[in-house]
Amino acid sequence: MVQSVLGSLILGYRPLWNAARRLTAVQLHVHTAGEAVVDAPHLLRTLQELWSASSPPLLLSPQSPQLLIDLLAQAPRGSPWISVPDAWLADADLFTRVRAAHQRGLKLVWRGPLERLPPAEVASCFDNSLLTLSAADAMAALRAAGGAIRGAAAEPSPVIAGQMYENVASRPLMEHCLDRHGALAIAGWPSEDVLYSLRHQQPQPAHATVLKLMRAIDAEQSLEAFEQILGEDPVLAYRFMIYTNSAALGLRTGVDSLRRGLVMMGYGSLQRWLGDQLPHASTDPNLQPIRESMVIRAHLTERLLDAGVENDLRREVYLCGLLSQLGELLSEPLGTVLRRLPLSERIYDAAVLHTGPYAASLEMACALESEDAAAVRQLCEAQELDLEEVNRALLRVISDLEVERPGR
């Protein structure tokens, strides 16, 4: 049964972003749950069934040597990329399996510190690497970046083009890797530092999203399409709800959802309001991964709560997930931000107080963003959540994400 393989795993995920600040792949952390033996071929078949041509490529990161061995031995050619931690390669038997898997055509990724790159014999078995910069390497890269900006003599950078990097904590280092040294992708995003660098600017919605919604109105698309586009940008959604609840519109009752606001506002008024937003909208590409990550969390929160056929409830749960990080974007306490809107108390309770009917779904959506399986395991036990259903929800949300694949 399909249930058995997803019920014997604990999954987590991390987006990978390219130089265009677009989603290019997703790293899937795969832990074994308890003592269960994982059916590796069944896991791969399950992923294949869920994935489409537009779904993001996957980088599987097995969290136990045994699971890695099973994947190396049984994954067919064309399977997702598989990461291999450098520390495990000290096991001669495992390295033999890595070499055999590479010869069979599997795409493997070496994962380890840049300062300890593998010898040529080992490196030849890998198609790419997921590298961590040491403090010394990070400083050397930043010095090289600083010299390039000042026009000083070029100082060599340790960053290797065409590779993937993780745990990049600063905006300048991320820009150095992606923009100056041709990194293939960054796993995760230095959100905290990007937002800190913009702390003196008023947060703005994305220019591309405002324009997309204006064009959708011009094309007379459906109300559902307008709502979906509006829900792709947390700042735009928040601004929209602030405006629809303002004295300027003079509505007698509070607008507690994007759908209700769209119905009450009218498309002419919406188009004029969007026109007012456009000149000030943000074109900073570094904010795009932050927005997209918030949207992924919103979709996960919605999917994790079984809302049945109740569309209004589903929209409310999505809004709960979307607005849950708004305090970080606006540099204000989240409770203060949410109290400006006549939202359902259920949203405030979950996002601020961590209580109420949406809390478990929101907490689980947050826990799935980590490589550490402990929080997922604890939440499943405490909230009596079914692990198979949690994993299925995560995989469906990831498979529904769309990436542009050049040449396809």
Side-chain angles (χ1 to χ4, degrees), residues 50-71:
L50 287 169
W51 253 242
S52 70
S54 61
S55 300
L58 281 178
L59 170 61
L60 297 183
S61 291
Q63 302 293 303
S64 71
Q66 185 57 54
L67 182 55
L68 173 61
I69 286 169
D70 292 344
L71 286 169

Side-chain angles (χ1 to χ4, degrees), residues 186-203:
I186 296 288
W189 197 250
S191 301
E192 197 173 309
D193 195 52
V194 168
L195 292 175
Y196 183 77
S197 68
L198 300 172
R199 65 194 180 283
H200 299 307
Q201 302 175 25
Q202 186 178 7

Side-chain angles (χ1 to χ4, degrees), residues 333-368:
L334 182 59
T336 304
V337 172
L338 295 184
R339 282 299 187 213
R340 296 193 187 113
L341 302 171
L343 296 169
S344 159
E345 284 296 322
R346 293 184 288 263
I347 293 178
Y348 184 92
D349 290 347
V352 180
L353 305 179
H354 310 294
T355 60
Y358 304 163
S361 299
L362 180 57
E363 286 180 37
M364 181 59 81
C366 297
L368 290 169

